Amino acid sequence: MRKKWTRLLATSLVLCALTPSVSFAQDYDLVINNGRVIDPETLYDDVANVGIKDGRIVAITKDAITGAETVDATGHIVAPGFIDTHFHFQMPVGYSLGLRDGLTTSIDFEMGCAGSYMAEWYEARVGVTGANYGCAVSHESARAMIIDGADGDYMKDGPLSALETRKKTGWSQTRPTLEQGNAILEELDKGLQAGAPGVGSTVGYMRSGVSSREMFEVQKVAARYGRPTGAHTRYTLGNDTAENNGAQELVANAVALGAPAIVLHYNNDGWQLAHEMITKLQEQGHNIWGEIYPYAAGSTTINAEFLVPESWIDEFGRRYEDTMLDPVTGEFYTLETYKETVASEPSRLIVIFKQPEENQAKWLTLKGVTMASDATAGTPYDAPWDYPLDQLGGTHPRTAGARGATIRLGRENNIPMMQLMSILSYNAAKHLGDSGLKSMQERGRIQTGMVADIVVFDPELFTDNSTYEKGSIPSTGMKAVIVNGQVTVRDDVVLPVFAGQPIRFDPEDKQRFEPISKEAWNAEFSTGMPLPSDFTGAFPQKVEN
């Protein structure tokens, strides 16, 4: 009898070891089973199961695992959630549109938010945002505040404040006094002090107003914090010489200051040289990188400086009739309707055709770039998160479909999936993480210990549906989008889950701002000979004839 009980006990112990208990089955909050797991940092690419607990990846295994919630990823890609550093539509419905396209982290590194409003911008999104969110501090907004007196609740909308501030022109055309210049730089410092991940500059819209000295000083403000400046470079749009002159200004400043920099959307004339220059700088250890998006057309406000007839028609040899589209009416502009609209609605969004379509796939093959959509706002831009997405109007198709278009073009042109996942996620996380941004050191990767921002999609079906005529039709083919461990999109449906976290540095108690004076400049950079009386340091005055 004693031997019989011993055998029964041994059998029971073996069965217990092989059969997980109910409590063990619940060890994971969420499991993703049987997917092709891709990690661009380690180049891991294999079918595996992923276990998630408390918002982080805790297991990547071939063993069977179960949890409280399951996603069957058979035949699907399981990859890091997509990261976009150039997403202007930082509003509830904008996040929903991005989520349908796999966007788990959206940051605006171009237009940005005014420094004085940065803390409020982040506070407004706590607990009510589906995707992770971040915003650089805005060079343009600082100029609008100091030169044009911009102020009001609309400034809390960050990037979308441009729809109001661009109704005036001082921000783009005026050379500031030294006093105004210092106020602009201090406004930038306020945003960095509040935790902004960097500075965003639209210097390409302010060519006559921003001197090369001002741009250098703007980047110096970011450099004091070790943070990047992202810029729509000075001569974008331009020709294949001027475009690169603008990029060279940005990166030369960055190298001189020992600071990171992002060359925004350089998929324009001269892009091959821009890419080679950025690559060579990376090989030398500089934290400098660039963005592309897979569209032959861009989008901007109709009063952009580079679209005036003297530039667009006389210098570049373009015609409004076949390059400038109104995304609301679906009609192309003429010189007459262009002038009428600039006078009546100067901040109206338009679509501008600028590159051959065959370049779209070529840009996706570039090593080390990031795919950043430059997503613009649809209308109504302040709609709730659950607004019918196919009813949004007046936007570029990249807002809804940049990631779907990337996968579709990759599929059609045999671009390796590892390359696509790198440019959609890891590359941005790597560069931002190297600037010290901890939240990006933990994203863009499928590895144990990392934050569980994950996309699960069908590589044969995930695609964009938006067009230039109907720019806000959502992408389809997304099995699941997971933000901080929570399923936020399932089978192309956005759920009422608001797991988004802020992408920012910890706010600081003290400013790092250092006002500029001609005496300080003279003491540091000369042997002491007095400078001309009209020298104003960062902001030399225009000399009137």
Side-chain angles (χ1 to χ4, degrees):
M1 177 64 71
R2 188 171 182 179
K3 289 181 179 180
K4 180 179 179 181
W5 280 111
T6 301
R7 286 197 301 271
L8 288 171
L9 179 61
T11 301
S12 177
L13 290 171
V14 170
L15 288 173
C16 286
L18 293 176
T19 306
S21 66
V22 173
S23 61
F24 180 78
Q26 301 299 324
D27 278 351
Y28 301 108
D29 300 327
L30 173 67
V31 297
I32 306 169
N33 284 326
N34 304 314
R36 178 186 167 191
V37 178
I38 294 180
D39 178 57
E41 183 173 53
T42 63
L43 303 183
Y44 180 88
D45 186 350
D46 203 353
V47 175
N49 305 315
V50 178
I52 297 165
K53 187 173 181 61
D54 297 329
R56 291 188 179 266
I57 299 168
V58 294
I60 302 171
T61 178
K62 294 278 190 176
D63 297 336
I65 55 175
T66 58
E69 189 174 3
T70 300
V71 174
D72 180 8
T74 304
H76 288 63
I77 301 291
V78 178
F82 300 150
I83 298 168
D84 193 334
T85 54
H86 199 148
F87 194 85
H88 296 308
F89 204 177
Q90 298 280 338
M91 299 293 279
V93 70
Y95 298 124
S96 293
L97 200 57
L99 283 164
R100 286 282 297 268
D101 203 32
L103 181 60
T104 59
T105 296
S106 64
I107 309 172
D108 182 0
F109 248 106
E110 184 193 43
M111 179 58 202
C113 179
S116 295
Y117 293 88
M118 185 64 64
E120 291 179 81
W121 187 90
Y122 275 102
E123 288 166 7
R125 285 155 178 78
V126 175
V128 295
T129 309
N132 301 314
Y133 49 93
C135 209
V137 60
S138 174
H139 181 198
E140 178 177 322
S141 291
R143 287 176 60 89
M145 292 174 69
I146 303 306
I147 296 170
D148 291 329
D151 193 18
D153 286 344
Y154 63 86
M155 299 298 287
K156 298 176 185 178
D157 290 338
L160 299 189
S161 66
L163 298 175
E164 287 296 323
T165 58
R166 288 190 179 183
K167 292 177 180 178
K168 296 183 178 180
T169 59
W171 64 271
S172 64
Q173 298 178 9
T174 301
R175 290 284 185 95
T177 64
L178 177 58
E179 182 181 14
Q180 289 174 320
N182 273 323
I184 289 168
L185 298 179
E186 186 171 15
E187 177 65 17
L188 293 176
D189 190 274
K190 289 177 183 178
L192 296 169
Q193 184 185 0
V199 169
S201 176
T202 55
V203 61
Y205 291 84
M206 305 183 287
R207 302 176 193 188
S208 58
V210 173
S211 67
S212 57
R213 167 61 70 176
E214 177 176 347
M215 193 62 201
F216 185 78
E217 295 295 340
V218 164
Q219 291 183 242
K220 189 186 291 184
V221 175
R224 291 192 186 103
Y225 290 81
R227 300 178 198 174
T229 296
H232 177 130
T233 55
R234 185 180 297 276
Y235 303 114
T236 302
L237 291 166
N239 57 33
D240 59 1
T241 294
E243 279 271 346
N244 287 313
N245 289 162
Q248 287 162 344
E249 175 188 37
L250 176 73
V251 300
N253 290 348
V255 171
L257 293 165
I262 316 173
V263 184
L264 304 183
H265 49 38
Y266 68 87
N267 45 292
N268 298 306
D269 288 352
W271 59 269
Q272 297 96 330
L273 176 58
H275 182 65
E276 182 177 348
M277 175 178 64
I278 293 167
T279 300
K280 293 299 182 183
L281 287 166
Q282 289 177 353
E283 290 172 355
Q284 296 172 40
H286 298 286
N287 192 11
I288 293 170
W289 70 103
E291 305 172 349
I292 54 86
Y293 55 74
Y295 292 90
S299 180
T300 187
T301 50
I302 197 168
N303 66 344
E305 188 171 357
F306 48 80
L307 295 177
V308 298
E310 294 78 9
S311 293
W312 196 246
I313 298 175
D314 299 343
E315 184 180 354
F316 303 146
R318 309 290 182 92
R319 291 174 2 112
Y320 297 129
E321 289 82 355
D322 49 23
T323 61
M324 187 182 290
L325 176 72
D326 187 315
V328 176
T329 66
E331 296 180 355
F332 281 88
Y333 283 86
T334 64
L335 177 59
E336 182 179 357
T337 57
Y338 163 79
K339 290 180 177 179
E340 290 173 353
T341 306
V342 168
S344 64
E345 194 177 349
S347 60
R348 187 177 181 87
L349 290 171
I350 52 95
V351 170
I352 193 78
F353 290 85
K354 57 193 177 71
Q355 284 286 298
E357 284 193 10
E358 58 264 26
N359 284 349
Q360 294 173 158
K362 294 177 184 177
W363 295 323
L364 299 177
T365 68
L366 299 178
K367 299 176 181 177
V369 304
T370 66
M371 199 299 292
S373 66
D374 196 4
T376 55
T379 53
Y381 73 83
D382 55 354
W385 71 271
D386 55 354
Y387 188 83
L389 298 179
D390 58 357
Q391 294 182 24
L392 281 172
T395 189
H396 190 290
R398 66 193 182 194
T399 302
R403 281 146 285 278
T406 297
I407 299 302
R408 174 181 56 77
L409 286 165
R411 184 166 58 237
E412 294 170 355
N413 293 276
N414 298 312
I415 302 173
M417 188 61 69
M418 189 67 74
Q419 162 72 2
L420 300 178
M421 295 305 96
S422 295
I423 68 176
L424 285 169
S425 185
Y426 170 68
N427 292 350
K430 164 66 174 169
H431 287 293
L432 289 173
D434 285 350
S435 74
L437 191 57
K438 183 180 178 183
S439 57
M440 287 289 99
Q441 295 168 357
E442 304 174 325
R443 290 179 166 86
R445 303 152 172 95
I446 299 289
Q447 300 169 25
T448 56
M450 295 294 165
V451 172
D453 286 350
I454 299 172
V455 289
V456 182
F457 64 92
D458 188 324
E460 299 301 322
L461 297 180
F462 180 51
T463 191
D464 57 320
N465 299 301
S466 55
T467 65
Y468 292 114
E469 292 73 25
K470 297 182 179 180
S472 15
I473 301 177
S475 296
T476 50
M478 189 58 68
K479 178 77 172 180
V481 177
I482 297 154
V483 179
N484 295 298
Q486 297 188 48
V487 178
T488 306
V489 174
R490 190 182 274 272
D491 296 322
D492 290 327
V493 176
V494 180
L495 305 176
V497 175
F498 306 105
Q501 295 294 316
I503 305 300
R504 69 190 298 190
F505 287 89
D506 292 334
E508 300 185 7
D509 294 331
K510 295 182 180 180
Q511 283 189 326
R512 301 192 190 186
F513 170 65
E514 298 176 13
I516 292 164
S517 70
K518 63 182 180 181
E519 292 80 13
W521 192 96
N522 198 34
E524 184 172 359
F525 296 108
S526 81
T527 58
M529 182 177 291
L531 292 165
S533 59
D534 61 350
F535 178 84
T536 57
F539 304 91
Q541 290 298 285
K542 239 179 170 180
V543 178
E544 299 295 338
N545 293 328

